[in-house]
Amino acid sequence: MTIPAIPRRIDVIRTFKEQGGYVAAVLPIHYPRSLLRAFNILPVEVWGPPGIKARDGAKHLQPYVCSIVHNALSFLQSGGLDITDILIVPHTCDSLQGLGSILLDFVSPKQPVIPIYLPRGKRESDVDFFANELRSIYRQLEAITGHSPTDADLLQSIYREEAADKLLSELHRCRRNLPFSNLAFYRLLRNREHLPAETFMELAQKALAQKVDTTQDGGIPILLSGIVPEPMSLLGAISQMGGVVAADDLACCGRRLYPPGQSDDPFRRIAERILYAPPDPTRGNSIKERLEHLLQLVETSGAKGVIFYEVKFCEPELFDLPQLRQGLQEAGLPSLTIEMDLNDPLSHQALTRLEAFLEMIQ
Amino acid sequence: MSIGPALRYHWNVNLLGRAGLRWVRWQAERRVKRGAHGKSHILTPPLKISARTKELIGRHYLKGRYANLRGKVAWVTSGAPIEFLKALDFYLLYPENHGAVCGTTRTAVDICAQAENAGYSRDICSYARTDLGTMLSCQTPVGKLPKPDLLLTCTNICQTVLHWYRVLAHHFDVPLILIDTPFVYTETTDHSVAYVKRQLEEAIPIAEEVAGQSLDERKLKEVTRLSKLASELWLELLGRCRHRPAPISVFDQFIQMAPIVEMRGDNFTVDFYAAMLKEVDERIAQVIGAVKNERKRLLWDNLPVWYRLRYLAEFLGRHGVVIAASTYTNAWAELTPKMDPERPLESMARTYMYPILNRGTGDKLATMRQMIDDYRLDGVILHSDRSCKPYSVGQMDQRDRLIRDFGVPALLLEADHNDSRSFSKEQVANRLDAFIEMLEV
Ligand code: SF4
Ligand code: SF4
């Protein structure tokens, strides 16, 4: 059985625009999808993209800034985002803060730039602040699009995204009962980065319809942590070496399994969803919370080891590694760290270490 | 505090330590009087008050060494709103300042290696690596650091401090207070200010619980008043560098800024800066410049290169170049005067949202532009600090704009504030030579 047919990203964008919608290019990691969709704006995420010539970005950014930020700026400057109408830059880290700021002050792209400040906690004050921040984004989107969605419109949009996220969680939960390879499975999941929720749900339902009762793969189960599994050949390599990604703590995937909100106020509800999502260092969750979450993922997935697959220069990730790895070790779980740059293929050294790690935990 | 530890503290800090530090200061003052710093034909000898600076810093770390015997200790970030902790009698340790001490004493790389051996990447901020190295190995040039009972991190300088203090919180297993200050891309919003104020209000009971006492409103006002006074004096001091020749250079400022960062809210800090201002005014009256033959004046952007202060001062001084101002030392001057001791929390919320590192890259360029005019500067050196992304990202555009839009020569100098492995002496010398040539000195 195969993965359901996936529409091409560019076709999705064109179709959405032909139907009168707007398209927003969105940088990592967390942002209010439902708020954008209520304005008939389709968010299309930009995780780099990998493997492009990062020359243009190098005119503005020092070499010690991560490749996701370098590539995003290069892609924008080379016209790769010309089709989009708005740029959304969440305040994820110091590097994205810098990018958002130079876009506003110096680069001045043709699209309006909207930065979003994400609070670094989940206290009541954080939720209140974030709800207010979202209200301010609402006003900016209102000015750009001329639309003023009502609370009912917003709630409808939120419920749709919640339904899509529920299916996404279901896909994660029963991944080992689906007949897909690591690579095919993550290709499917990552469609959430650009498909409208309704289209993604169709796709997810088709995939879930292929679910069987028995585990489909007999590989060595591992837990994959990090920002983004790029180049995606990593996933193929894990399969080839006999591994299977049984769970993930990836910023682009597992850390965005947003729970449903509680509040009836649409802005608070969006805030709750984002702030109560699985632990993420960029949202300030403690190392203890992260460790507990990883151990829980290991327990439910049966993972035998953890691979931290990190983007070079990514401070939010790098700070946590020693204590997380120590905590895992104390729980009897081996781990491996691999650093990558979006523009480089997987190195032989990385492949060899990966292979040795899988052999060791087998 | 029980009697035994109290006596030990008193004996070591107030009797033995104080006497020892006085002796060291007396010797240093004699050295300055005798001109024992050598007869440099490039640079004027350090300010006489430098001996007192050393004493202040020495005393601060001496108190720190025994602080766990005396009361509660908080580790705090350099831009954090510390006034309420000070009013609650915490001993405050600034790991960034300790990092700078390790940088100037050239012990930072060895200490960083301790962190790196434990798995901390060389790609994280070298202040953080220095501190984590000390945390893991207890290695420090100041004898010993006290253990924290509380941590306070404020994101108004970077997100790095959030990640760093999460690691400390995990290691020491103590409460971590976060004051999250939304980044000001263009202008701040009312809901952001309200958010910061609310976090300050919520932080107080946590700190009170650790301190075992309630916050005295009058004490908070007094600490805020002293903080403000010291910052105003620091602002005046920096302003004196508008004079030609500049009486002190940024290299002096870098050394003399320790008290304004880590001893804000103390009486003696106010006295210290008042005395320094007097000495600087004497220099101005006698037309004494930090560089003996001042011909060109520059602005420094970003953190100092702590382990190369003297080298850079002499290199530039040889060509008659003085660095008269810096966005970095200015950061502790431009804000606190905005504080209102009568409304400490409200004013703190606004004030602490506005350090240069929490404002957009365009705003920083505007600050630089203003300083170039105010201080009549001829060019800018932008230290591209591998460790400090929030300060450094944007510098390439700032340099280009300075040159293109304002006709101000500007140089991007690659280094790292604490990790000398990222400093290439040859490359720096070549770039500085070429820049100086361009300045037509
Ligand atoms: S990879 Fe890390 S440093 Fe780069 S944008 Fe993402 S969070 Fe920021
Ligand atoms: S040097 Fe920069 S990154 Fe490091 S703690 Fe200071 S502001 Fe943050």
Side-chain angles (χ1 to χ4, degrees):
Chain A
M1 280 195 268
T2 52
I3 194 157
I6 296 172
R8 287 193 326 148
R9 178 183 283 238
I10 188 67
D11 295 334
V12 175
I13 294 175
R14 285 205 183 111
T15 311
F16 199 84
K17 290 193 76 150
E18 277 160 17
Q19 289 164 356
Y22 298 84
V23 172
V26 187
L27 280 101
I29 300 174
H30 305 282
Y31 63 96
R33 271 193 188 118
S34 44
L35 181 61
L36 296 172
R37 286 300 310 281
F39 282 91
N40 202 19
I41 299 168
L42 176 69
V44 173
E45 299 176 16
V46 183
W47 293 81
I52 62 159
K53 287 209 174 64
R55 258 198 319 257
D56 295 320
K59 289 181 198 145
H60 302 270
L61 299 165
Q62 287 95 330
Y64 47 81
V65 173
C66 80
S67 50
I68 290 198
V69 173
H70 261 276
N71 283 20
L73 182 55
S74 299
F75 194 49
L76 170 74
Q77 297 226 290
S78 64
L81 296 176
D82 280 358
I83 197 165
T84 63
D85 307 290
I86 304 167
L87 294 178
I88 306 271
V89 189
H91 188 288
T92 301
C93 59
D94 290 327
S95 301
L96 276 170
Q97 165 188 298
L99 178 63
S101 195
I102 63 173
L103 286 176
L104 283 165
D105 294 334
F106 301 127
V107 177
S108 308
K110 72 179 182 72
Q111 305 92 328
V113 179
I114 302 185
I116 301 179
Y117 192 83
L118 280 136
R120 265 59 181 185
K122 47 184 179 178
R123 304 161 291 191
E124 247 331 271
S125 49
D126 300 314
V127 178
D128 284 347
F129 162 78
F130 197 33
N132 282 326
E133 181 75 355
L134 294 169
R135 287 187 185 98
S136 136
I137 308 287
Y138 176 100
R139 289 190 289 276
Q140 293 176 59
L141 295 174
E142 205 176 23
I144 293 169
T145 62
H147 300 316
S148 302
T150 61
D151 278 6
D153 298 334
L154 287 170
L155 283 169
Q156 194 190 5
S157 178
I158 294 169
Y159 297 147
R160 186 173 51 204
E161 296 298 333
E162 288 184 350
D165 284 340
K166 194 169 167 206
L167 284 175
L168 186 67
S169 295
E170 186 63 12
L171 282 171
H172 272 264
R173 202 179 57 77
C174 54
R175 63 169 80 201
R176 297 199 68 189
N177 298 75
L178 295 172
F180 309 137
S181 67
N182 286 327
L183 184 59
F185 181 69
Y186 274 90
R187 283 211 173 115
L188 171 71
L189 289 188
R190 295 193 61 199
N191 280 289
R192 186 83 177 99
E193 293 169 18
H194 66 275
L195 284 185
E198 54 279 19
T199 320
F200 178 78
M201 282 194 278
E202 280 171 29
L203 201 65
Q205 268 151 354
K206 279 187 199 153
L208 286 167
Q210 299 182 43
K211 190 174 111 183
V212 291
D213 291 337
T214 49
T215 304
Q216 286 297 287
D217 53 70
I220 312 153
I222 55 121
L223 166 59
L224 186 59
S225 178
I227 295 287
V228 64
E230 295 281 7
M232 293 279 275
S233 56
L234 166 80
L235 298 161
I238 292 175
S239 298
Q240 270 173 17
M241 293 170 190
V244 57
V245 181
D248 83 65
D249 166 54
L250 292 166
C252 69
C253 295
R255 288 185 207 163
R256 299 199 302 174
L257 295 177
Y258 301 113
Q262 300 296 316
S263 175
D264 292 333
D265 172 83
F267 298 100
R268 269 194 75 88
R269 191 175 181 108
I270 301 172
E272 288 165 356
R273 298 197 65 214
I274 293 180
L275 300 186
Y276 298 154
D280 183 335
T282 69
R283 285 197 335 269
N285 295 98
S286 68
I287 291 176
K288 185 163 173 266
E289 283 174 286
R290 287 202 65 199
L291 186 58
E292 283 167 3
H293 179 65
L294 291 180
L295 290 172
Q296 198 196 336
L297 285 176
V298 164
E299 196 183 312
T300 48
S301 68
K304 290 200 157 88
V306 181
I307 296 173
F308 292 99
Y309 188 66
E310 306 298 3
V311 181
K312 186 150 173 62
F313 298 117
C314 177
E315 278 201 344
E317 294 285 309
L318 295 175
F319 265 102
D320 291 8
L321 285 182
Q323 289 174 333
L324 287 180
R325 295 188 67 187
Q326 190 189 342
L328 291 170
Q329 198 187 354
E330 283 162 10
L333 270 163
S335 63
L336 170 75
T337 306
I338 296 177
E339 267 197 11
M340 64 90 167
D341 182 298
L342 274 189
N343 298 315
D344 297 337
L346 267 180
S347 68
H348 283 298
Q349 196 208 19
L351 289 170
T352 312
R353 292 178 61 224
L354 191 59
E355 193 166 20
F357 180 72
L358 287 169
E359 265 172 26
M360 193 249 301
I361 62 173
Q362 193 169 18
Chain B
M1 185 174 21
S2 53
I3 190 81
L7 276 177
R8 262 183 72 199
Y9 180 86
H10 186 63
W11 173 254
N12 285 304
V13 176
N14 295 332
L15 299 175
L16 265 187
R18 184 184 290 243
L21 287 166
R22 274 280 145 83
W23 170 248
V24 173
R25 174 176 156 191
W26 181 75
Q27 283 184 316
E29 281 171 349
R30 275 177 45 135
R31 267 204 306 277
V32 173
K33 264 194 204 139
R34 285 203 320 264
H37 284 277
K39 299 260 181 292
S40 166
H41 59 285
I42 304 168
L43 304 176
T44 298
L47 290 168
K48 286 189 226 106
I49 202 157
S50 302
R52 197 161 147 197
T53 319
K54 269 197 191 133
E55 186 193 12
L56 276 186
I57 298 172
R59 191 164 156 74
H60 178 71
Y61 284 107
L62 182 70
K63 280 184 186 169
R65 189 175 182 149
Y66 298 100
N68 292 124
L69 294 174
R70 182 197 156 264
K72 299 295 179 185
V73 172
W75 287 21
V76 299
T77 55
S78 62
I82 45 82
E83 284 72 13
F84 69 103
L85 293 183
K86 194 113 201 152
L88 280 167
D89 270 339
F90 278 91
Y91 170 84
L92 302 183
L93 180 94
Y94 292 74
E96 291 152 76
N97 279 48
H98 172 252
V101 172
C102 299
T104 45
T105 51
R106 304 197 184 176
T107 50
V109 172
D110 277 353
I111 299 175
C112 284
Q114 301 285 348
E116 289 155 21
N117 292 341
Y120 291 96
S121 164
R122 260 186 77 174
D123 292 332
I124 64 176
C125 166
S126 52
Y127 268 165
R129 263 181 293 139
T130 308
D131 185 46
L132 299 177
T134 299
M135 172 188 92
L136 293 167
S137 67
C138 297
Q139 215 175 305
T140 163
V142 302
K144 184 178 166 241
L145 296 185
K147 289 210 162 37
D149 301 290
L150 178 71
L151 299 161
L152 169 66
T153 189
C154 180
T155 57
N156 62 356
I157 51 171
C158 59
Q159 294 300 317
T160 300
V161 291
L162 167 69
H163 303 300
W164 168 4
Y165 276 59
R166 287 162 62 253
V167 172
L168 294 177
H170 193 75
H171 179 87
F172 289 111
D173 196 18
V174 293
L176 167 63
I177 293 177
L178 162 69
I179 305 291
D180 191 13
T181 48
F183 186 72
V184 183
Y185 286 95
T186 45
E187 54 197 36
T188 189
T189 55
D190 288 343
H191 68 267
S192 298
V193 178
Y195 173 49
V196 177
K197 180 168 173 257
R198 185 164 160 196
Q199 291 177 81
L200 282 167
E201 286 162 355
E202 288 169 357
I204 290 170
I206 302 173
E208 284 177 331
E209 197 181 327
V210 176
Q213 58 171 294
S214 309
L215 182 67
D216 177 344
E217 187 99 355
R218 274 173 320 180
K219 211 164 166 190
L220 176 63
K221 285 182 180 174
E222 177 59 6
V223 170
T224 311
R225 190 183 69 82
L226 291 171
S227 246
K228 182 179 161 75
L229 272 178
S231 294
E232 282 170 347
L233 285 165
W234 179 244
L235 180 67
E236 271 194 65
L237 258 167
L238 300 189
R240 294 296 198 266
C241 292
R242 293 191 171 104
H243 285 270
R244 266 176 195 271
I248 55 171
S249 73
V250 294
F251 299 106
D252 302 306
Q253 296 172 15
F254 290 150
I255 299 295
Q256 304 298 351
M257 70 187 287
I260 194 59
V261 183
E262 61 192 353
M263 296 167 218
R264 291 200 301 274
D266 281 314
N267 241 323
F268 57 81
T269 309
V270 178
D271 297 344
F272 168 76
Y273 282 118
M276 190 187 298
L277 192 60
K278 203 162 153 247
E279 191 185 344
V280 167
D281 281 342
E282 281 163 20
R283 274 197 178 187
I284 291 171
Q286 295 165 36
V287 199
I288 296 174
V291 167
K292 285 193 173 162
N293 179 22
E294 177 183 312
R295 298 213 296 269
K296 294 283 175 184
R297 300 156 60 83
L298 301 182
L299 175 71
W300 178 273
D301 181 53
N302 214 327
L303 279 86
V305 181
W306 287 115
Y307 46 90
R308 288 287 181 205
L309 294 181
R310 182 87 194 165
Y311 168 79
L312 289 169
E314 285 183 344
F315 192 105
L316 294 164
R318 252 198 309 277
H319 299 273
V321 176
V322 66
I323 307 193
S326 122
T327 54
Y328 183 65
T329 48
N330 191 52
W332 278 270
E334 62 176 355
L335 289 182
T336 322
K338 292 191 176 77
M339 279 174 83
D340 179 357
E342 288 312 307
R343 296 165 44 249
L345 288 191
E346 287 85 344
S347 64
M348 238 188 263
R350 262 184 204 281
T351 306
Y352 281 102
M353 268 188 74
Y354 272 108
I356 192 159
L357 279 169
N358 208 40
R359 307 200 301 262
T361 47
D363 195 282
K364 183 169 147 219
L365 177 64
T367 303
M368 290 162 95
R369 185 75 196 93
Q370 187 65 48
M371 292 179 80
I372 290 166
D373 283 349
D374 287 353
Y375 289 80
R376 292 176 293 153
L377 305 174
D378 304 295
V380 182
I381 295 179
L382 301 103
H383 166 207
S384 171
D385 184 348
R386 189 181 187 276
S387 267
C388 187
K389 292 178 186 72
Y391 222 136
S392 305
V393 175
Q395 281 180 321
M396 297 174 83
D397 284 286
Q398 286 153 357
R399 174 203 53 192
D400 294 349
R401 298 284 170 124
L402 284 166
I403 297 171
R404 197 189 67 204
D405 298 351
F406 308 123
V408 176
L411 169 76
L412 201 67
L413 200 66
E414 298 288 342
D416 185 288
H417 63 271
N418 240 26
D419 190 337
S420 56
R421 291 166 294 183
S422 299
F423 185 91
S424 156
K425 206 167 164 184
E426 200 173 309
Q427 200 181 31
V428 166
N430 286 340
R431 306 219 57 204
L432 284 178
D433 269 334
F435 186 59
I436 288 165
E437 205 176 305
M438 203 175 71
L439 289 173
E440 294 172 352
V441 180

